[in-house]
């Protein structure tokens, strides 16, 4: 039975001590026995796999694991698929952008998660945030593809992320630097479940903060999508998000302030992400974009993450005044619209432009140079 608000605190305590035994054993053996040439080669191998592909060339344990991992979540239905696809039909652009900004920054607000990500080089040091974004972009892009939940492509790509998580755990365990008493298991089931909350119900709340109307049915569909993703990430059924948007919102709001705190690692990664976004939204448009992200996240959590404030912080401004600032900002980018009456959503233009730019950013992160097949360091360290 999936999580409920009533029992989430005690369940997360147990989840914090748990990894993913099947994936962990597989990855540890493959790396130790050099059946796949180290962590980076493992990622390149699983990154080439497609649903239904002949796997006879793979190490037998890897092929067996992938076959077993194909099973659908218990109780998964065609209605769940339809609900999820309807959500993405209506909100594809803005939700992908918000997952890649508010969502990623939200994962940095977990101090343990921030340390884990930074110390394995996924975001930090000389490599910058492109690698972290490239990993996540594959998932966000796959989620909103029509048929991805029925043709096996999303399940296959999420399973790759599951093995990435197992590899991260092995890096930490073999390093001798991980403090189990303080942090629990590296990339524990608690972290995976928490990240699912950030990328699902926290994004729905961000959309509400920006004045985006999401129907109850659409919210249900988005939560269904993350229930599906959680299953293929290797989350046990008892720790999966329920297919109930209201219940997920309750349990996350109840636990969020226990999990989100300011940390040096979180602020460092947020700063790098902000700089990375400037490549795609430079100048005044970048300021408007960051102001929108602050509003989506709320000042409380934006301050924790170290997101900069600016004169374009619309949260304290009347909507019409905010719109005037945006419309006058970038000439052809945000300008050109007639002055709106009080009550308009000042973020509408930013959402449209930012969503388009973020698609470009995702494509760049997925295809550019060595990030075409994201790799990890063979040992801990981020060149800081």
């Amino acid at each position: 039975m999936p999580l409920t608000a009533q029992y989430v605190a005690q369940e997360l305590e147990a989840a914090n001590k748990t990894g993913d035994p099947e994936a962990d054993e597989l990855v540890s053996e493959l790396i130790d026995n050099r059946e796949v040439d180290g962590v980076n080669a493992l990622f390149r191998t699983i990154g080439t796999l497609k649903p239904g592909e002949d796997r006879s060339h793979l190490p037998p344990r890897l092929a067996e694991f992938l076959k077993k991992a194909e099973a659908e979540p218990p109780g998964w239905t065609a209605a769940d698929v339809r609900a999820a696809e309807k959500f993405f039909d209506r909100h594809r652009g803005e939700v992908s952008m918000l997952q890649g900004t508010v969502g990623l920054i939200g994962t940095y607000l977990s101090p343990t998660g921030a340390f884990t990500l930074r110390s394995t080089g996924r975001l930090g040091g000389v490599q910058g945030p492109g690698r972290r974004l490239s990993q996540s972009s594959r998932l966000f892009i796959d989620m909103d593809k029509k048929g991805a939940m029925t043709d096996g492509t999303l399940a296959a790509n999420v399973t790759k992320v599951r093995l990435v998580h197992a590899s991260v755990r092995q890096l930490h365990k073999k390093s001798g630097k991980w403090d189990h008493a303080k942090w629990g298991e590296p990339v524990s089931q608690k972290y995976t479940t928490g990240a699912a909350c950030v990328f699902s119900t926290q994004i729905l709340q961000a959309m509400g903060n920006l004045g985006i109307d999401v129907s109850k049915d659409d919210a249900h569909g988005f939560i269904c999508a993350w229930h599906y993703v959680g299953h293929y990430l290797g989350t046990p059924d008892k720790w999966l998000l329920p297919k109930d948007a209201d219940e997920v919102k309750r349990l996350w709001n109840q636990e969020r302030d226990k999990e989100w705190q300011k940390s040096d690692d979180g602020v460092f990664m947020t700063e790098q992400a902000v700089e990375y976004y400037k490549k795609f939204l430079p100048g005044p448009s970048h300021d408007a974009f960051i102001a929108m992200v602050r509003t989506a996240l709320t000042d409380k959590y934006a301050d924790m993450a170290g997101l900069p404030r600016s004169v374009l912080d619309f949260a304290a401004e009347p909507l019409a005044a905010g719109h005037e600032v945006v419309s006058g900002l970038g000439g052809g980018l945000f300008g050109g619209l007639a002055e709106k009456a009080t009550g308009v959503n000042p973020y509408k233009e930013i959402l449209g432009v930012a969503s388009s730019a973020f698609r470009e950013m995702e494509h760049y992160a997925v295809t550019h140079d060595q990030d075409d097949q994201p790799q990890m360091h063979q040992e801990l360290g981020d060149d800081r």
Side-chain angles (χ1 to χ4, degrees), residues 41-211:
L42 173 61
F43 290 164
R44 286 192 294 271
T45 297
I46 63 179
T48 62
L49 301 177
K50 300 293 186 290
E53 181 180 309
D54 175 36
R55 295 168 183 164
S56 60
H57 64 293
L58 298 177
R61 285 189 296 278
L62 176 57
E64 182 181 350
F65 172 86
L66 292 171
K67 182 178 180 180
K68 184 176 180 180
E70 289 176 343
E72 288 187 340
W76 187 249
T77 68
D80 296 332
V81 175
R82 287 194 297 271
E85 290 186 342
K86 285 181 179 178
F87 170 84
F88 287 112
D89 284 345
R90 293 187 177 99
H91 300 289
R92 177 173 285 108
E94 64 260 30
V95 79
S96 181
M97 182 270 294
L98 290 171
Q99 286 183 123
T101 52
V102 173
L104 288 183
I105 290 170
T107 64
Y108 308 156
L109 284 169
S110 163
T112 302
F115 171 81
T116 306
L117 292 169
R118 186 179 180 187
S119 61
T120 48
R122 293 182 69 184
L123 176 63
V126 297
Q127 301 300 340
R131 295 199 174 201
R132 171 62 172 151
L133 182 59
S134 67
Q135 281 280 345
S136 303
S137 293
R138 283 174 168 77
L139 177 56
F140 302 152
I141 291 170
D142 288 341
M143 283 183 78
D144 67 25
K145 286 182 180 176
K146 199 81 170 179
M149 295 184 191
T150 54
D151 66 10
T153 55
L154 180 57
N157 285 316
V158 176
T159 301
K160 296 169 193 174
V161 177
R162 179 183 178 184
L163 292 175
V164 168
H165 288 177
S167 298
V168 172
R169 276 189 292 273
Q170 295 311 307
L171 286 176
H172 278 292
K173 288 181 177 181
K174 295 176 189 301
S175 75
K177 298 178 182 179
W178 185 264
D179 189 338
H180 279 81
K182 179 179 180 181
W183 292 320
E185 188 75 2
V187 197
S188 68
Q189 292 293 345
K190 175 184 177 181
Y191 175 81
T192 303
T193 298
C197 288
V198 172
F199 287 118
S200 61
T201 189
Q202 186 65 45
I203 297 304
L204 290 173
Q205 292 180 45
M207 294 171 79
N209 293 338
L210 293 172

Side-chain angles (χ1 to χ4, degrees), residues 162-279:
R162 179 183 178 184
L163 292 175
V164 168
H165 288 177
S167 298
V168 172
R169 276 189 292 273
Q170 295 311 307
L171 286 176
H172 278 292
K173 288 181 177 181
K174 295 176 189 301
S175 75
K177 298 178 182 179
W178 185 264
D179 189 338
H180 279 81
K182 179 179 180 181
W183 292 320
E185 188 75 2
V187 197
S188 68
Q189 292 293 345
K190 175 184 177 181
Y191 175 81
T192 303
T193 298
C197 288
V198 172
F199 287 118
S200 61
T201 189
Q202 186 65 45
I203 297 304
L204 290 173
Q205 292 180 45
M207 294 171 79
N209 293 338
L210 293 172
I212 303 171
D213 182 34
V214 180
S215 71
K216 187 176 181 66
D217 286 346
D218 283 348
H220 167 73
F222 191 42
I223 296 299
C224 282
W226 275 98
H227 176 93
Y228 180 94
V229 168
H231 168 77
Y232 287 107
L233 284 174
T235 303
D237 296 345
K238 64 181 177 179
W239 294 327
L240 283 175
L241 300 186
K243 292 183 285 187
D244 181 332
D246 291 336
E247 185 68 8
V248 175
K249 182 178 180 179
R250 276 192 293 270
L251 67 86
W252 175 238
N253 287 355
Q254 176 181 304
E255 297 299 313
R256 177 173 49 209
D257 283 354
K258 302 175 188 176
E259 302 303 319
W260 277 8
Q261 301 171 32
K262 189 169 188 175
S263 69
D264 290 342
D265 288 325
V267 170
F268 172 84
M269 292 193 295
T270 298
E271 288 174 349
Q272 283 210 322
V274 168
E275 287 300 309
Y276 188 69
Y277 299 148
K278 285 182 179 178
K279 295 180 182 179

Side-chain angles (χ1 to χ4, degrees), residues 260-382:
W260 277 8
Q261 301 171 32
K262 189 169 188 175
S263 69
D264 290 342
D265 288 325
V267 170
F268 172 84
M269 292 193 295
T270 298
E271 288 174 349
Q272 283 210 322
V274 168
E275 287 300 309
Y276 188 69
Y277 299 148
K278 285 182 179 178
K279 295 180 182 179
F280 302 89
L281 287 161
S285 59
H286 176 78
D287 295 335
F289 172 69
I290 295 301
M292 182 199 65
V293 174
R294 282 193 65 91
T295 300
L297 196 55
T298 75
D299 282 340
K300 175 180 179 179
Y301 300 119
D303 288 343
M304 280 186 190
L307 269 177
R309 289 177 176 265
S310 78
V311 295
L312 300 176
D313 185 355
F314 301 137
E317 298 290 335
L319 289 178
H323 184 274
E324 289 174 8
V325 173
V326 175
S327 292
L329 258 181
L333 187 61
F334 289 127
L337 292 186
E339 184 175 333
K340 302 295 192 299
T342 301
V344 303
N345 185 341
Y347 305 104
K348 185 175 180 180
E349 285 183 86
I350 307 175
L351 278 165
V353 173
S355 295
S356 176
F358 202 79
R359 278 292 183 179
E360 179 186 349
M361 191 187 309
E362 287 177 320
H363 178 74
Y364 179 90
V366 168
T367 61
H368 179 64
D369 194 23
Q370 60 190 338
D371 289 323
D372 185 48
Q373 290 297 333
Q375 301 173 31
M376 300 282 288
H377 300 305
Q378 291 280 13
E379 63 279 324
L380 293 181
D382 68 347

